[in-house]
Amino acid sequence: MSYGVNIAEMERRAAVYVDRILKGAKPADLPVEQPTKFDFVINLKTAKALGLTIPQSLLSRADQVIE
């Protein structure tokens, strides 16, 4: 299982920062932002190899299930 930031969203936010800097903004003046979108991924193949059973309620909450 993995619960972490959405990489695509972080790349988009980084592009906004680069755009602002290239337009003349000082990096020190830009606000610090925290991630707002997270992904929950479950790898069933690995869980099976470890002998784990993942409850259906947890699987239904996952953003992505790797089989």
Side-chain angles (χ1 to χ4, degrees):
M1 285 188 262
S2 171
Y3 184 71
V5 297
N6 181 297
I7 299 299
E9 182 67 24
M10 293 301 293
E11 290 171 350
R12 281 190 283 279
R13 295 304 312 151
V16 171
Y17 269 78
V18 170
D19 181 56
R20 289 180 182 175
I21 292 169
L22 291 176
K23 289 182 178 177
K26 294 180 184 177
D29 294 338
L30 295 177
V32 175
E33 293 184 11
Q34 293 183 349
T36 57
K37 186 168 182 187
F38 295 86
D39 286 337
F40 179 46
V41 180
I42 298 174
N43 188 327
L44 287 178
K45 184 177 179 181
T46 301
K48 183 179 177 183
L50 294 172
L52 301 173
T53 303
I54 308 297
Q56 186 61 38
S57 61
L58 203 56
L59 291 172
S60 64
R61 292 180 175 212
D63 294 307
Q64 181 182 4
V65 177
I66 300 170
E67 306 211 22

Short mmCIF file of all heavy atoms in Angstrom, two decimals:
data_model
loop_
_atom_site.label_atom_id
_atom_site.label_comp_id
_atom_site.label_asym_id
_atom_site.label_seq_id
_atom_site.Cartn_x
_atom_site.Cartn_y
_atom_site.Cartn_z
N MET A 1 0.84 -1.16 0.00
CA MET A 1 0.00 0.00 0.00
C MET A 1 0.89 1.23 0.00
O MET A 1 1.98 1.22 0.56
CB MET A 1 -0.89 0.02 1.23
CG MET A 1 -2.02 -0.94 1.17
SD MET A 1 -3.16 -0.73 2.53
CE MET A 1 -2.58 -2.01 3.60
N SER A 2 0.38 2.27 -0.61
CA SER A 2 1.08 3.54 -0.66
C SER A 2 0.06 4.67 -0.57
O SER A 2 -0.97 4.63 -1.24
CB SER A 2 1.86 3.65 -1.97
OG SER A 2 2.39 4.95 -2.12
N TYR A 3 0.36 5.63 0.26
CA TYR A 3 -0.47 6.83 0.35
C TYR A 3 0.48 8.01 0.25
O TYR A 3 1.31 8.22 1.12
CB TYR A 3 -1.23 6.86 1.68
CG TYR A 3 -2.18 8.02 1.81
CD1 TYR A 3 -3.34 8.08 1.06
CD2 TYR A 3 -1.92 9.06 2.68
CE1 TYR A 3 -4.22 9.14 1.16
CE2 TYR A 3 -2.79 10.13 2.80
CZ TYR A 3 -3.94 10.16 2.04
OH TYR A 3 -4.79 11.22 2.15
N GLY A 4 0.40 8.72 -0.86
CA GLY A 4 1.33 9.82 -1.06
C GLY A 4 0.77 10.85 -2.02
O GLY A 4 -0.34 10.72 -2.53
N VAL A 5 1.58 11.84 -2.26
CA VAL A 5 1.14 12.95 -3.12
C VAL A 5 0.94 12.47 -4.55
O VAL A 5 1.58 11.52 -5.00
CB VAL A 5 2.16 14.12 -3.10
CG1 VAL A 5 2.26 14.71 -1.73
CG2 VAL A 5 3.51 13.69 -3.61
N ASN A 6 0.06 13.13 -5.24
CA ASN A 6 -0.20 12.86 -6.64
C ASN A 6 0.92 13.53 -7.44
O ASN A 6 1.02 14.76 -7.46
CB ASN A 6 -1.58 13.42 -7.01
CG ASN A 6 -1.93 13.16 -8.44
OD1 ASN A 6 -1.26 13.64 -9.34
ND2 ASN A 6 -3.01 12.43 -8.65
N ILE A 7 1.76 12.74 -8.08
CA ILE A 7 2.93 13.26 -8.78
C ILE A 7 2.54 14.21 -9.92
O ILE A 7 3.16 15.26 -10.10
CB ILE A 7 3.79 12.10 -9.33
CG1 ILE A 7 4.29 11.22 -8.18
CG2 ILE A 7 4.97 12.63 -10.14
CD1 ILE A 7 5.17 11.92 -7.17
N ALA A 8 1.51 13.88 -10.67
CA ALA A 8 1.09 14.74 -11.78
C ALA A 8 0.67 16.11 -11.27
O ALA A 8 0.99 17.14 -11.87
CB ALA A 8 -0.05 14.08 -12.55
N GLU A 9 -0.03 16.14 -10.14
CA GLU A 9 -0.45 17.42 -9.56
C GLU A 9 0.76 18.23 -9.11
O GLU A 9 0.81 19.45 -9.27
CB GLU A 9 -1.40 17.17 -8.39
CG GLU A 9 -1.93 18.42 -7.75
CD GLU A 9 -2.84 19.24 -8.65
OE1 GLU A 9 -3.43 18.68 -9.59
OE2 GLU A 9 -2.96 20.46 -8.42
N MET A 10 1.74 17.56 -8.53
CA MET A 10 2.95 18.26 -8.07
C MET A 10 3.73 18.84 -9.26
O MET A 10 4.28 19.94 -9.17
CB MET A 10 3.85 17.31 -7.27
CG MET A 10 3.24 16.86 -5.96
SD MET A 10 2.84 18.21 -4.84
CE MET A 10 4.46 18.80 -4.45
N GLU A 11 3.76 18.12 -10.37
CA GLU A 11 4.43 18.63 -11.57
C GLU A 11 3.73 19.87 -12.10
O GLU A 11 4.38 20.83 -12.52
CB GLU A 11 4.49 17.54 -12.64
CG GLU A 11 5.44 16.42 -12.29
CD GLU A 11 5.36 15.25 -13.23
OE1 GLU A 11 4.43 15.19 -14.08
OE2 GLU A 11 6.22 14.36 -13.12
N ARG A 12 2.40 19.87 -12.08
CA ARG A 12 1.65 21.06 -12.53
C ARG A 12 1.95 22.25 -11.63
O ARG A 12 2.12 23.38 -12.10
CB ARG A 12 0.16 20.76 -12.56
CG ARG A 12 -0.28 19.98 -13.78
CD ARG A 12 -1.80 19.92 -13.89
NE ARG A 12 -2.40 18.97 -12.97
CZ ARG A 12 -2.47 17.67 -13.18
NH1 ARG A 12 -1.96 17.16 -14.28
NH2 ARG A 12 -3.04 16.88 -12.30
N ARG A 13 1.98 22.02 -10.33
CA ARG A 13 2.26 23.12 -9.39
C ARG A 13 3.68 23.65 -9.58
O ARG A 13 3.93 24.84 -9.49
CB ARG A 13 2.06 22.65 -7.94
CG ARG A 13 0.64 22.28 -7.59
CD ARG A 13 -0.40 23.36 -7.85
NE ARG A 13 -0.02 24.64 -7.34
CZ ARG A 13 -0.40 25.82 -7.86
NH1 ARG A 13 -1.19 25.85 -8.89
NH2 ARG A 13 -0.01 26.95 -7.33
N ALA A 14 4.63 22.74 -9.86
CA ALA A 14 6.01 23.16 -10.10
C ALA A 14 6.09 24.03 -11.36
O ALA A 14 6.83 25.02 -11.39
CB ALA A 14 6.92 21.95 -10.23
N ALA A 15 5.30 23.68 -12.38
CA ALA A 15 5.30 24.47 -13.61
C ALA A 15 4.80 25.89 -13.35
O ALA A 15 5.30 26.85 -13.93
CB ALA A 15 4.43 23.78 -14.66
N VAL A 16 3.83 26.03 -12.45
CA VAL A 16 3.33 27.37 -12.10
C VAL A 16 4.43 28.18 -11.44
O VAL A 16 4.62 29.37 -11.73
CB VAL A 16 2.09 27.26 -11.18
CG1 VAL A 16 1.69 28.62 -10.63
CG2 VAL A 16 0.93 26.63 -11.94
N TYR A 17 5.19 27.55 -10.56
CA TYR A 17 6.31 28.25 -9.90
C TYR A 17 7.36 28.68 -10.92
O TYR A 17 7.85 29.81 -10.87
CB TYR A 17 6.96 27.34 -8.85
CG TYR A 17 6.36 27.49 -7.49
CD1 TYR A 17 5.15 26.89 -7.18
CD2 TYR A 17 6.99 28.22 -6.50
CE1 TYR A 17 4.58 27.01 -5.93
CE2 TYR A 17 6.44 28.35 -5.25
CZ TYR A 17 5.23 27.74 -4.97
OH TYR A 17 4.69 27.87 -3.72
N VAL A 18 7.72 27.77 -11.83
CA VAL A 18 8.71 28.10 -12.86
C VAL A 18 8.21 29.25 -13.71
O VAL A 18 8.97 30.19 -14.02
CB VAL A 18 9.02 26.86 -13.73
CG1 VAL A 18 9.86 27.24 -14.94
CG2 VAL A 18 9.73 25.79 -12.91
N ASP A 19 6.95 29.25 -14.07
CA ASP A 19 6.38 30.33 -14.87
C ASP A 19 6.49 31.67 -14.14
O ASP A 19 6.89 32.67 -14.73
CB ASP A 19 4.91 30.02 -15.17
CG ASP A 19 4.26 31.10 -16.02
OD1 ASP A 19 4.79 31.39 -17.12
OD2 ASP A 19 3.23 31.65 -15.59
N ARG A 20 6.17 31.67 -12.86
CA ARG A 20 6.25 32.92 -12.09
C ARG A 20 7.69 33.43 -12.01
O ARG A 20 7.93 34.62 -12.14
CB ARG A 20 5.72 32.70 -10.68
CG ARG A 20 4.23 32.52 -10.61
CD ARG A 20 3.80 32.31 -9.19
NE ARG A 20 2.37 32.09 -9.08
CZ ARG A 20 1.76 31.78 -7.96
NH1 ARG A 20 2.47 31.64 -6.84
NH2 ARG A 20 0.47 31.59 -7.93
N ILE A 21 8.64 32.52 -11.81
CA ILE A 21 10.05 32.91 -11.71
C ILE A 21 10.54 33.46 -13.04
O ILE A 21 11.24 34.47 -13.09
CB ILE A 21 10.91 31.72 -11.23
CG1 ILE A 21 10.56 31.40 -9.77
CG2 ILE A 21 12.40 32.03 -11.37
CD1 ILE A 21 11.13 30.10 -9.27
N LEU A 22 10.17 32.80 -14.14
CA LEU A 22 10.60 33.26 -15.46
C LEU A 22 9.97 34.61 -15.82
O LEU A 22 10.52 35.35 -16.64
CB LEU A 22 10.26 32.22 -16.53
CG LEU A 22 11.07 30.92 -16.45
CD1 LEU A 22 10.58 29.93 -17.50
CD2 LEU A 22 12.56 31.19 -16.62
N LYS A 23 8.84 34.93 -15.20
CA LYS A 23 8.21 36.23 -15.45
C LYS A 23 8.74 37.31 -14.52
O LYS A 23 8.24 38.43 -14.54
CB LYS A 23 6.69 36.10 -15.31
CG LYS A 23 6.07 35.33 -16.45
CD LYS A 23 4.57 35.25 -16.32
CE LYS A 23 3.97 34.50 -17.50
NZ LYS A 23 2.52 34.35 -17.36
N GLY A 24 9.74 36.95 -13.68
CA GLY A 24 10.39 37.97 -12.88
C GLY A 24 10.14 37.92 -11.38
O GLY A 24 10.69 38.75 -10.65
N ALA A 25 9.34 37.02 -10.90
CA ALA A 25 9.08 36.95 -9.46
C ALA A 25 10.32 36.42 -8.74
O ALA A 25 11.06 35.60 -9.27
CB ALA A 25 7.90 36.02 -9.19
N LYS A 26 10.54 36.92 -7.55
CA LYS A 26 11.65 36.44 -6.74
C LYS A 26 11.22 35.14 -6.05
O LYS A 26 10.15 35.09 -5.43
CB LYS A 26 12.02 37.47 -5.67
CG LYS A 26 12.58 38.75 -6.24
CD LYS A 26 12.93 39.70 -5.12
CE LYS A 26 13.38 41.03 -5.68
NZ LYS A 26 13.66 41.99 -4.61
N PRO A 27 12.04 34.11 -6.13
CA PRO A 27 11.67 32.84 -5.50
C PRO A 27 11.37 32.98 -4.01
O PRO A 27 10.50 32.30 -3.48
CB PRO A 27 12.89 31.95 -5.74
CG PRO A 27 13.51 32.50 -6.99
CD PRO A 27 13.27 33.99 -6.90
N ALA A 28 12.08 33.85 -3.33
CA ALA A 28 11.86 34.04 -1.90
C ALA A 28 10.49 34.64 -1.60
O ALA A 28 9.98 34.50 -0.49
CB ALA A 28 12.95 34.92 -1.31
N ASP A 29 9.89 35.30 -2.57
CA ASP A 29 8.59 35.93 -2.37
C ASP A 29 7.41 34.99 -2.68
O ASP A 29 6.27 35.32 -2.38
CB ASP A 29 8.46 37.19 -3.24
CG ASP A 29 9.43 38.28 -2.82
OD1 ASP A 29 9.89 38.25 -1.66
OD2 ASP A 29 9.72 39.15 -3.65
N LEU A 30 7.69 33.85 -3.27
CA LEU A 30 6.62 32.91 -3.62
C LEU A 30 6.18 32.15 -2.38
O LEU A 30 7.00 31.77 -1.55
CB LEU A 30 7.10 31.93 -4.69
CG LEU A 30 7.43 32.55 -6.05
CD1 LEU A 30 7.96 31.50 -6.99
CD2 LEU A 30 6.21 33.22 -6.65
N PRO A 31 4.89 31.91 -2.25
CA PRO A 31 4.39 31.19 -1.07
C PRO A 31 4.77 29.70 -1.10
O PRO A 31 4.92 29.11 -2.17
CB PRO A 31 2.88 31.36 -1.16
CG PRO A 31 2.62 31.52 -2.62
CD PRO A 31 3.82 32.27 -3.16
N VAL A 32 4.91 29.14 0.06
CA VAL A 32 5.14 27.70 0.18
C VAL A 32 3.78 27.02 0.15
O VAL A 32 2.87 27.42 0.86
CB VAL A 32 5.87 27.37 1.49
CG1 VAL A 32 6.00 25.87 1.67
CG2 VAL A 32 7.24 28.04 1.52
N GLU A 33 3.65 26.03 -0.70
CA GLU A 33 2.37 25.33 -0.82
C GLU A 33 2.53 23.89 -0.38
O GLU A 33 3.56 23.27 -0.60
CB GLU A 33 1.89 25.36 -2.27
CG GLU A 33 1.53 26.74 -2.76
CD GLU A 33 0.95 26.72 -4.17
OE1 GLU A 33 0.65 25.63 -4.68
OE2 GLU A 33 0.81 27.81 -4.73
N GLN A 34 1.48 23.37 0.22
CA GLN A 34 1.45 21.97 0.60
C GLN A 34 0.58 21.22 -0.40
O GLN A 34 -0.35 21.79 -0.97
CB GLN A 34 0.88 21.81 2.00
CG GLN A 34 1.76 22.40 3.06
CD GLN A 34 1.18 22.14 4.45
OE1 GLN A 34 0.06 21.70 4.60
NE2 GLN A 34 1.97 22.42 5.46
N PRO A 35 0.88 19.94 -0.60
CA PRO A 35 0.06 19.15 -1.53
C PRO A 35 -1.39 19.10 -1.05
O PRO A 35 -1.66 19.08 0.14
CB PRO A 35 0.69 17.76 -1.48
CG PRO A 35 1.92 17.87 -0.69
CD PRO A 35 1.95 19.17 0.00
N THR A 36 -2.30 19.07 -2.01
CA THR A 36 -3.72 19.01 -1.68
C THR A 36 -4.37 17.73 -2.19
O THR A 36 -5.47 17.40 -1.79
CB THR A 36 -4.47 20.21 -2.27
OG1 THR A 36 -4.26 20.23 -3.67
CG2 THR A 36 -4.00 21.51 -1.65
N LYS A 37 -3.68 17.02 -3.09
CA LYS A 37 -4.24 15.79 -3.65
C LYS A 37 -3.30 14.64 -3.36
O LYS A 37 -2.11 14.71 -3.63
CB LYS A 37 -4.46 15.94 -5.15
CG LYS A 37 -5.18 14.76 -5.74
CD LYS A 37 -5.64 15.00 -7.14
CE LYS A 37 -6.41 13.76 -7.60
NZ LYS A 37 -6.77 13.83 -8.98
N PHE A 38 -3.85 13.57 -2.80
CA PHE A 38 -3.07 12.39 -2.45
C PHE A 38 -3.68 11.17 -3.13
O PHE A 38 -4.88 11.14 -3.43
CB PHE A 38 -3.09 12.19 -0.93
CG PHE A 38 -2.40 13.29 -0.18
CD1 PHE A 38 -3.08 14.44 0.17
CD2 PHE A 38 -1.07 13.17 0.18
CE1 PHE A 38 -2.45 15.46 0.86
CE2 PHE A 38 -0.43 14.18 0.87
CZ PHE A 38 -1.12 15.32 1.21
N ASP A 39 -2.85 10.17 -3.38
CA ASP A 39 -3.30 8.93 -4.00
C ASP A 39 -3.09 7.77 -3.04
O ASP A 39 -2.07 7.70 -2.35
CB ASP A 39 -2.52 8.63 -5.28
CG ASP A 39 -2.92 9.53 -6.44
OD1 ASP A 39 -4.05 10.06 -6.41
OD2 ASP A 39 -2.11 9.69 -7.36
N PHE A 40 -4.05 6.86 -3.01
CA PHE A 40 -3.96 5.65 -2.21
C PHE A 40 -3.93 4.47 -3.17
O PHE A 40 -4.88 4.25 -3.92
CB PHE A 40 -5.16 5.56 -1.27
CG PHE A 40 -5.18 4.32 -0.40
CD1 PHE A 40 -4.06 3.90 0.27
CD2 PHE A 40 -6.35 3.60 -0.26
CE1 PHE A 40 -4.09 2.78 1.06
CE2 PHE A 40 -6.40 2.47 0.54
CZ PHE A 40 -5.25 2.06 1.20
N VAL A 41 -2.81 3.75 -3.20
CA VAL A 41 -2.60 2.66 -4.15
C VAL A 41 -2.36 1.37 -3.38
O VAL A 41 -1.61 1.35 -2.41
CB VAL A 41 -1.40 2.95 -5.07
CG1 VAL A 41 -1.18 1.83 -6.06
CG2 VAL A 41 -1.58 4.27 -5.80
N ILE A 42 -3.01 0.29 -3.82
CA ILE A 42 -2.83 -1.02 -3.21
C ILE A 42 -2.33 -1.99 -4.28
O ILE A 42 -2.91 -2.08 -5.36
CB ILE A 42 -4.15 -1.55 -2.62
CG1 ILE A 42 -4.64 -0.62 -1.51
CG2 ILE A 42 -3.97 -2.97 -2.08
CD1 ILE A 42 -5.99 -0.97 -0.95
N ASN A 43 -1.27 -2.72 -3.96
CA ASN A 43 -0.71 -3.72 -4.86
C ASN A 43 -1.14 -5.10 -4.36
O ASN A 43 -0.59 -5.61 -3.39
CB ASN A 43 0.81 -3.60 -4.92
CG ASN A 43 1.43 -4.47 -5.98
OD1 ASN A 43 0.94 -5.55 -6.27
ND2 ASN A 43 2.53 -4.00 -6.55
N LEU A 44 -2.14 -5.69 -5.02
CA LEU A 44 -2.67 -6.98 -4.59
C LEU A 44 -1.69 -8.13 -4.83
O LEU A 44 -1.65 -9.09 -4.07
CB LEU A 44 -3.98 -7.28 -5.30
CG LEU A 44 -5.18 -6.46 -4.83
CD1 LEU A 44 -6.41 -6.82 -5.65
CD2 LEU A 44 -5.44 -6.68 -3.36
N LYS A 45 -0.88 -8.02 -5.88
CA LYS A 45 0.08 -9.07 -6.17
C LYS A 45 1.10 -9.19 -5.03
O LYS A 45 1.41 -10.28 -4.57
CB LYS A 45 0.79 -8.78 -7.50
CG LYS A 45 1.74 -9.86 -7.94
CD LYS A 45 2.34 -9.53 -9.29
CE LYS A 45 3.31 -10.59 -9.74
NZ LYS A 45 3.91 -10.28 -11.03
N THR A 46 1.59 -8.06 -4.56
CA THR A 46 2.54 -8.06 -3.45
C THR A 46 1.87 -8.51 -2.16
O THR A 46 2.45 -9.26 -1.38
CB THR A 46 3.15 -6.66 -3.27
OG1 THR A 46 3.80 -6.29 -4.48
CG2 THR A 46 4.15 -6.64 -2.14
N ALA A 47 0.65 -8.07 -1.94
CA ALA A 47 -0.09 -8.48 -0.74
C ALA A 47 -0.25 -10.00 -0.72
O ALA A 47 -0.07 -10.64 0.32
CB ALA A 47 -1.44 -7.79 -0.68
N LYS A 48 -0.57 -10.56 -1.87
CA LYS A 48 -0.74 -12.02 -1.96
C LYS A 48 0.58 -12.72 -1.69
O LYS A 48 0.63 -13.74 -0.98
CB LYS A 48 -1.28 -12.41 -3.34
CG LYS A 48 -1.54 -13.88 -3.49
CD LYS A 48 -2.10 -14.20 -4.86
CE LYS A 48 -2.29 -15.71 -5.00
NZ LYS A 48 -2.77 -16.06 -6.34
N ALA A 49 1.69 -12.19 -2.24
CA ALA A 49 3.00 -12.80 -2.02
C ALA A 49 3.40 -12.77 -0.55
O ALA A 49 4.11 -13.65 -0.07
CB ALA A 49 4.05 -12.08 -2.87
N LEU A 50 2.94 -11.75 0.17
CA LEU A 50 3.23 -11.64 1.60
C LEU A 50 2.21 -12.39 2.46
O LEU A 50 2.34 -12.42 3.69
CB LEU A 50 3.24 -10.16 2.01
CG LEU A 50 4.37 -9.31 1.42
CD1 LEU A 50 4.15 -7.85 1.75
CD2 LEU A 50 5.72 -9.78 1.95
N GLY A 51 1.20 -12.95 1.83
CA GLY A 51 0.18 -13.68 2.57
C GLY A 51 -0.82 -12.79 3.27
O GLY A 51 -1.43 -13.19 4.25
N LEU A 52 -1.03 -11.59 2.75
CA LEU A 52 -1.96 -10.64 3.35
C LEU A 52 -3.30 -10.66 2.63
O LEU A 52 -3.36 -10.83 1.42
CB LEU A 52 -1.39 -9.22 3.30
CG LEU A 52 -0.04 -9.00 3.99
CD1 LEU A 52 0.47 -7.60 3.70
CD2 LEU A 52 -0.17 -9.23 5.47
N THR A 53 -4.35 -10.48 3.39
CA THR A 53 -5.69 -10.34 2.81
C THR A 53 -6.14 -8.90 3.02
O THR A 53 -6.17 -8.42 4.15
CB THR A 53 -6.68 -11.30 3.51
OG1 THR A 53 -6.18 -12.63 3.39
CG2 THR A 53 -8.05 -11.20 2.88
N ILE A 54 -6.46 -8.24 1.94
CA ILE A 54 -6.89 -6.84 2.00
C ILE A 54 -8.42 -6.82 2.01
O ILE A 54 -9.05 -7.36 1.10
CB ILE A 54 -6.37 -6.04 0.79
CG1 ILE A 54 -4.85 -6.20 0.63
CG2 ILE A 54 -6.75 -4.57 0.91
CD1 ILE A 54 -4.03 -5.66 1.78
N PRO A 55 -9.03 -6.21 3.02
CA PRO A 55 -10.50 -6.15 3.09
C PRO A 55 -11.10 -5.38 1.90
O PRO A 55 -10.50 -4.43 1.40
CB PRO A 55 -10.78 -5.39 4.39
CG PRO A 55 -9.50 -5.40 5.15
CD PRO A 55 -8.40 -5.57 4.16
N GLN A 56 -12.27 -5.80 1.48
CA GLN A 56 -12.95 -5.16 0.35
C GLN A 56 -13.23 -3.68 0.64
O GLN A 56 -13.17 -2.86 -0.27
CB GLN A 56 -14.26 -5.89 0.03
CG GLN A 56 -14.96 -5.39 -1.21
CD GLN A 56 -14.11 -5.56 -2.46
OE1 GLN A 56 -13.41 -6.56 -2.61
NE2 GLN A 56 -14.17 -4.60 -3.35
N SER A 57 -13.51 -3.35 1.88
CA SER A 57 -13.77 -1.94 2.23
C SER A 57 -12.55 -1.07 1.96
O SER A 57 -12.68 0.09 1.56
CB SER A 57 -14.19 -1.83 3.70
OG SER A 57 -13.15 -2.30 4.55
N LEU A 58 -11.35 -1.62 2.15
CA LEU A 58 -10.13 -0.87 1.88
C LEU A 58 -9.89 -0.78 0.37
O LEU A 58 -9.47 0.27 -0.13
CB LEU A 58 -8.95 -1.55 2.57
CG LEU A 58 -7.72 -0.72 2.87
CD1 LEU A 58 -8.08 0.51 3.68
CD2 LEU A 58 -6.69 -1.54 3.59
N LEU A 59 -10.16 -1.86 -0.33
CA LEU A 59 -9.99 -1.86 -1.79
C LEU A 59 -10.91 -0.84 -2.47
O LEU A 59 -10.54 -0.20 -3.44
CB LEU A 59 -10.26 -3.25 -2.36
CG LEU A 59 -9.23 -4.32 -2.02
CD1 LEU A 59 -9.71 -5.68 -2.49
CD2 LEU A 59 -7.89 -3.98 -2.63
N SER A 60 -12.11 -0.69 -1.93
CA SER A 60 -13.06 0.24 -2.53
C SER A 60 -12.64 1.70 -2.32
O SER A 60 -13.05 2.58 -3.07
CB SER A 60 -14.47 0.02 -1.99
OG SER A 60 -14.52 0.31 -0.61
N ARG A 61 -11.83 1.96 -1.31
CA ARG A 61 -11.38 3.32 -1.06
C ARG A 61 -10.12 3.70 -1.84
O ARG A 61 -9.76 4.86 -1.92
CB ARG A 61 -11.10 3.52 0.43
CG ARG A 61 -12.33 3.49 1.26
CD ARG A 61 -11.99 3.69 2.71
NE ARG A 61 -13.21 3.78 3.49
CZ ARG A 61 -13.32 4.50 4.57
NH1 ARG A 61 -12.31 5.18 5.04
NH2 ARG A 61 -14.48 4.54 5.22
N ALA A 62 -9.43 2.71 -2.39
CA ALA A 62 -8.18 2.95 -3.11
C ALA A 62 -8.42 3.70 -4.41
O ALA A 62 -9.41 3.47 -5.10
CB ALA A 62 -7.48 1.63 -3.38
N ASP A 63 -7.50 4.60 -4.73
CA ASP A 63 -7.55 5.31 -6.01
C ASP A 63 -7.13 4.39 -7.14
O ASP A 63 -7.59 4.52 -8.27
CB ASP A 63 -6.64 6.54 -5.98
CG ASP A 63 -7.13 7.58 -5.00
OD1 ASP A 63 -8.31 7.97 -5.08
OD2 ASP A 63 -6.33 8.00 -4.13
N GLN A 64 -6.20 3.47 -6.83
CA GLN A 64 -5.71 2.53 -7.83
C GLN A 64 -5.42 1.20 -7.14
O GLN A 64 -4.84 1.17 -6.07
CB GLN A 64 -4.44 3.07 -8.49
CG GLN A 64 -3.86 2.18 -9.55
CD GLN A 64 -2.57 2.75 -10.14
OE1 GLN A 64 -2.07 3.77 -9.71
NE2 GLN A 64 -2.05 2.06 -11.11
N VAL A 65 -5.82 0.11 -7.80
CA VAL A 65 -5.53 -1.24 -7.31
C VAL A 65 -4.73 -1.95 -8.38
O VAL A 65 -5.19 -2.10 -9.52
CB VAL A 65 -6.83 -2.02 -6.99
CG1 VAL A 65 -6.48 -3.43 -6.56
CG2 VAL A 65 -7.63 -1.31 -5.92
N ILE A 66 -3.52 -2.36 -8.02
CA ILE A 66 -2.65 -3.07 -8.96
C ILE A 66 -2.86 -4.55 -8.75
O ILE A 66 -2.70 -5.06 -7.66
CB ILE A 66 -1.17 -2.68 -8.72
CG1 ILE A 66 -0.98 -1.18 -8.91
CG2 ILE A 66 -0.25 -3.47 -9.65
CD1 ILE A 66 0.36 -0.66 -8.48
N GLU A 67 -3.23 -5.24 -9.83
CA GLU A 67 -3.51 -6.67 -9.72
C GLU A 67 -2.39 -7.42 -10.27
O GLU A 67 -1.71 -8.10 -10.32
CB GLU A 67 -4.79 -7.01 -10.44
CG GLU A 67 -5.90 -6.14 -9.94
CD GLU A 67 -7.25 -6.80 -10.00
OE1 GLU A 67 -7.28 -8.03 -10.03
OE2 GLU A 67 -8.23 -6.09 -10.00
#
